[in-house]
Amino acid sequence: MPSASTRPADNLDDDDYPAYTMGRAAAMLGTTPAFLRTLGEHRLITPLRSEGGHRRYSRYQLRIAARARELVDKGTPIEAACRIVILEDQLEEAQRINEQLRTRGPESEASA
């Protein structure tokens, strides 16, 4: 019997699990496969590949693509939209790290 951590159902909660085909991802976003390929060309998202070479997208990647689509729908050029989303993601990560450091307190910094 497989361990609890390797059950296929565990992937349902994994935001990084590449569960969606290009066609399904495009349908969920209301866009075209070409739009998703363009996001890949601009290095906004890099889908994993199945054994057959087909692109597979995670929920996290779909959220990123959805944000880019919002910007493009508002008239932002796709290159700029990709850069904006990358910068937003970097800012969010920096804020998360900053908050972690702030909550650690001065005594843990002195021991570091």
Side-chain angles (χ1 to χ4, degrees):
M1 178 173 205
S3 71
S5 64
T6 61
R7 294 180 310 166
D10 290 340
N11 295 327
L12 296 175
D13 294 326
D14 185 352
D15 264 2
D16 295 318
Y17 182 73
Y20 303 97
T21 63
M22 177 179 277
R24 181 69 181 132
M28 290 172 68
L29 296 171
T31 190
T32 63
F35 179 79
L36 291 173
R37 281 192 295 275
T38 301
L39 296 181
E41 290 167 9
H42 290 289
R43 299 178 191 245
L44 179 61
I45 55 176
T46 304
L48 293 176
R49 298 282 183 149
S50 68
E51 289 182 18
H54 301 282
R55 291 174 178 88
R56 299 284 182 172
Y57 296 88
S58 68
R59 287 190 310 216
Y60 174 75
Q61 289 172 325
L62 294 184
R63 283 194 301 274
I64 297 267
R67 176 65 180 129
R69 171 140 192 240
E70 286 176 24
L71 292 168
V72 169
D73 287 350
K74 291 178 181 177
T76 306
I78 195 159
E79 299 85 8
C82 289
R83 185 67 183 139
I84 288 167
V85 174
I86 288 168
L87 290 170
E88 287 175 342
D89 198 46
Q90 289 173 344
L91 176 60
E92 185 179 309
E93 177 69 7
Q95 288 172 331
R96 185 188 62 74
I97 291 168
N98 191 16
E99 183 60 28
Q100 284 177 344
L101 292 173
R102 199 175 306 138
T103 58
R104 282 178 35 195
E107 64 275 353
S108 58
E109 289 176 14
S111 64

